[in-house]
Amino acid sequence: MRSRAPPPPPPPLPLVVLLLGGWASLCGAFYLPGLAPVSFCDEGGEKAGCKSKIELFVNRLDSVESVLPYEYDAFDFCQDAEEKRPSENLGQVLFGERIASSPYKFTFKKNQQCQVACMKSYDPENTNDKNKLEFLKKGMRLNYQHHWIIDNMPVTWCYDFGELHKFCNPGFPVGCFVASDGRAKDSCTINSEFNKKNTYYLFNHVDITITYHSAQNENWLGARLVTARLEPKSYKQTDINNLSCEGPPMEISAEFNSKLNLIYSYSVKFEENNNIKWASRWDYILESMPHTNIQWFSIMNSLVIVLFLSGMVAMILLRTLHKDIARYNQIDSSEDAQEEFGWKLVHGDVFRPPRKGMLLSVFLGQGTQIFIMTFITLFLACLGFLSPANRGALMTCAVVLWVLLGTPAGYVSARMYKTFRGEKWKTNVLLTALLCPGIVFADFFIMNLILWVKGSSAAIPFGTLVAILAMWFGISVPLTFVGAYFGFKEKPIEHPVRTNQIPRQIPEQSFFTKPLPGIIMGGILPFGCIFIQLFFILNSIWSHQMYYMFGFLFLVFIILLITCSEATVLLCYFHLCAEDYHWWWRSFLTSSFTAVYLFIYAVHYFFSKLQITGTASTILYFGYTMIMVLIFFLFTGTIGFFACFWFVSKIYSVVKVD
């Protein structure tokens, strides 16, 4: 077990932060369970809607040291003779979840002690056995974790870390490894008997405790399961007919020279606890995760940045800009007009169509699609519809929304392209429908090939790939064409001032008003708002921790929108005052440069936080990171562009131009 530092105490907070954070915590804690409650009764007392048999399902195994997850069947564990696989939604398939039934089956309220699950034998003369055992050792060496499910609830392994905190992990390790230098890795630190050099210790026994809430004084039958916990143990069993579940640990030497028998066993006991309600049965897992206190730093940090930026915008745009407009509108004589300076001087060029207007309009269309998709997904998640209990719902919702939002993408792209005086409307529509999704799909397809070659459970089946392509070309592309049709039918957006025929020469710029320094500076503040939240998102993806703080995430999302808008507007104003009217692309790139900082942070996270080994895992990590960076690039750039577009249109509409 890797040592974890205890979480810091919550900082003292101003009233406004407490109010916002309280709402965020409420959103984060409230959720709708993924399945209807199931009632359990004693054996022989089954009635309609009440059953006695409890099934344990197994999910994929994953590791913080490898990006490659594997199906339970890939390892030579005990398997169900009549294996059943529940139907999986699109999100579960894309995340590589592979749920199957197991031979661990229980009867409600029937305690069992030291029961045999199965026995596996390995012969060093058999090549197939050698390969199976080697793969099992690899799983222990890389700290692969089981993920078991009872009644749609993760079976957790709870252990103490620090003096006052208990951590409940929705998974437990296959085993652990003591290196040749005697260093105990991962879970080998929990038992002093795990001390032989160059030896693997297999957790071949589990003590399972199932807690239930009985229906006393309730209007439903039987009882409902509220927690399922286990404790992994390692016992060297020799006689399958006479198990004791005690004694020395199950050692597997690094050298495989003699025949080996591995006996898997389990014990189960039931406990009643009427203090835990079924609707809040996930809370003990979520509350044990040391996240919430650190979130306050994130909210405080983000709010300070927003208040600073808002103060700057208020001071410059309300005071300075107001004085500018008043002064410009008082000018009557042509002699005074010749003495104009600053942003009014470029009124005849500020709406000159940008270079590469086709590409910019395509980016804006795709960015709008991603923005609406993200907003709706986070809003639904905050309300609780996409809780951890509803497996795969988050990814399913995001993919379906993206497919259905082709119409606003086509409309925005076509309308902006027409405003830029573009004429190649067919190319515009095709690029909007195919360019960015094509890049994402190509990247995803290459990653999937690597997963398929490695035999990982995260490899998307061919049928699902065909279904995704069918959704893209059968639904998203036609909807994009519909949106583009209405976009091109609309008149171009009218600008408040006319554009001169001859472009004005831009004066020599200082270092800070040159394009590149401004773009680089523009991404720092939005990234500062999200980097703490980003740590938890990356943790949930790569360290396989459960993410549930959607209330916090939605709040940070709103703060990110405000920060991107304000930072871009400020820098746009400075550049216009310096008589540089090339603001179209710069407004997009200023806020989208946040994606570059996101990539730099992902690289830092890879080298400082993860223990990922292997070329395939490294390629997969950066392949998936590039998809995240592209999506973030389009989303933040679109926010900055439209904020700046509104600002420029507004200031030039209130000045008198001869």
Side-chain angles (χ1 to χ4, degrees), residues 150-427:
I150 289 179
D151 191 30
N152 194 43
M153 196 173 43
V155 182
T156 58
W157 175 33
C158 296
Y159 52 86
D160 295 323
F161 79 97
E163 293 181 0
L164 303 172
H165 203 79
K166 182 182 281 292
F167 181 74
C168 289
N169 184 24
F172 68 97
V174 173
C176 62
F177 177 57
V178 177
S180 54
D181 59 359
R183 181 170 51 92
K185 290 185 63 183
D186 305 313
S187 305
C188 279
T189 57
I190 65 175
N191 192 334
S192 59
E193 292 185 24
F194 300 163
N195 52 27
K196 284 192 180 179
K197 295 181 180 179
N198 211 22
T199 301
Y200 297 88
Y201 291 91
L202 176 71
F203 290 126
N204 60 335
H205 176 86
V206 286
D207 286 331
I208 302 173
T209 303
I210 298 175
T211 310
Y212 61 90
H213 179 104
S214 66
Q216 294 173 355
N217 305 319
E218 306 276 358
N219 58 355
W220 40 270
L221 295 170
R224 292 173 180 171
L225 308 187
V226 289
T227 70
R229 295 179 173 139
L230 63 72
E231 192 172 348
K233 300 283 182 67
S234 179
Y235 296 126
K236 189 172 185 178
Q237 311 279 12
T238 54
D239 185 359
I240 194 169
N241 298 314
N242 186 23
L243 299 184
S244 61
C245 290
E246 58 184 22
M250 184 65 237
E251 301 171 357
I252 303 175
S253 174
E255 301 295 329
F256 182 31
N257 299 321
S258 57
K259 192 171 182 179
L260 179 68
N261 291 326
L262 299 180
I263 298 174
Y264 292 89
S265 58
Y266 66 93
S267 299
V268 61
K269 67 177 178 178
F270 291 85
E271 294 178 351
E272 183 176 351
N273 187 337
N274 291 325
N275 295 324
I276 304 174
K277 300 294 184 185
W278 184 88
S280 58
R281 62 183 187 159
W282 285 70
D283 289 2
Y284 82 98
I285 308 172
L286 307 182
E287 288 167 2
S288 78
M289 295 183 177
H291 289 174
T292 309
N293 293 335
I294 303 172
Q295 290 296 321
W296 292 115
F297 289 105
S298 173
I299 300 298
M300 279 286 290
N301 174 62
S302 302
L303 281 174
V304 166
I305 292 174
V306 166
L307 290 173
F308 168 74
L309 272 178
S310 300
M312 289 279 288
V313 170
M315 183 177 69
I316 291 174
L317 304 190
L318 297 181
R319 291 185 59 194
T320 311
L321 199 56
H322 182 72
K323 289 180 181 177
D324 285 351
I325 292 168
R327 186 172 70 253
Y328 289 147
N329 288 342
Q330 288 171 359
I331 294 173
D332 294 323
S333 67
S334 59
E335 290 181 9
D336 289 336
Q338 295 297 321
E339 296 174 6
E340 289 175 2
F341 65 93
W343 55 270
K344 195 191 174 188
L345 275 176
V346 296
H347 68 80
D349 297 275
V350 75
F351 291 107
R352 189 176 302 282
R355 300 174 196 158
K356 309 286 184 186
M358 171 80 79
L359 188 61
L360 180 57
S361 63
V362 169
F363 283 174
L364 293 172
Q366 284 293 324
T368 304
Q369 186 177 12
I370 292 166
F371 165 68
I372 300 172
M373 175 198 78
T374 308
F375 182 85
I376 296 174
T377 303
L378 286 180
F379 184 71
L380 291 175
C382 183
L383 292 179
F385 291 103
L386 309 178
S387 75
N390 205 350
R391 299 173 190 281
L394 187 73
M395 179 61 87
T396 304
C397 177
V399 172
V400 170
L401 280 172
W402 180 86
V403 168
L404 297 177
L405 288 169
T407 304
Y411 179 85
V412 169
S413 179
R415 190 88 194 276
M416 292 310 302
Y417 185 60
K418 195 170 183 180
T419 303
F420 296 155
R421 302 175 196 167
E423 297 176 352
K424 299 177 181 177
W425 63 270
K426 292 179 182 176
T427 309

Side-chain angles (χ1 to χ4, degrees), residues 106-155:
F106 318 122
T107 302
F108 182 65
K109 278 192 179 179
K110 184 178 179 181
N111 294 343
Q112 294 175 285
Q113 188 68 27
C114 211
Q115 297 294 306
V116 176
C118 70
M119 184 175 81
K120 297 288 182 178
S121 298
Y122 301 92
D123 188 343
E125 304 298 324
N126 188 314
T127 305
N128 190 34
D129 285 357
K130 288 179 72 174
N131 292 337
K132 285 180 180 178
L133 190 61
E134 192 55 45
F135 194 65
L136 186 62
K137 289 178 182 177
K138 178 185 175 184
M140 290 185 274
R141 195 166 57 247
L142 294 179
N143 195 28
Y144 270 84
Q145 306 265 322
H146 287 278
H147 294 281
W148 290 2
I149 302 163
I150 289 179
D151 191 30
N152 194 43
M153 196 173 43
V155 182

Side-chain angles (χ1 to χ4, degrees), residues 20-31:
L20 287 169
W23 170 79
S25 300
L26 184 65
C27 282
F30 172 71
Y31 57 83

Side-chain angles (χ1 to χ4, degrees), residues 56-63 69-70 72 97-100 143-150 153-155 169-174 230 391 543-546:
L56 187 149
F57 288 90
V58 291
N59 203 343
R60 67 176 189 176
L61 286 88
D62 51 37
S63 166
Y70 289 101
Y72 181 83
E97 291 199 24
R98 300 291 184 269
I99 299 174
N143 195 28
Y144 270 84
Q145 306 265 322
H146 287 278
H147 294 281
W148 290 2
I149 302 163
I150 289 179
M153 196 173 43
V155 182
N169 184 24
F172 68 97
V174 173
L230 63 72
R391 299 173 190 281
S543 296
H544 314 293
Q545 294 184 10
M546 206 173 294

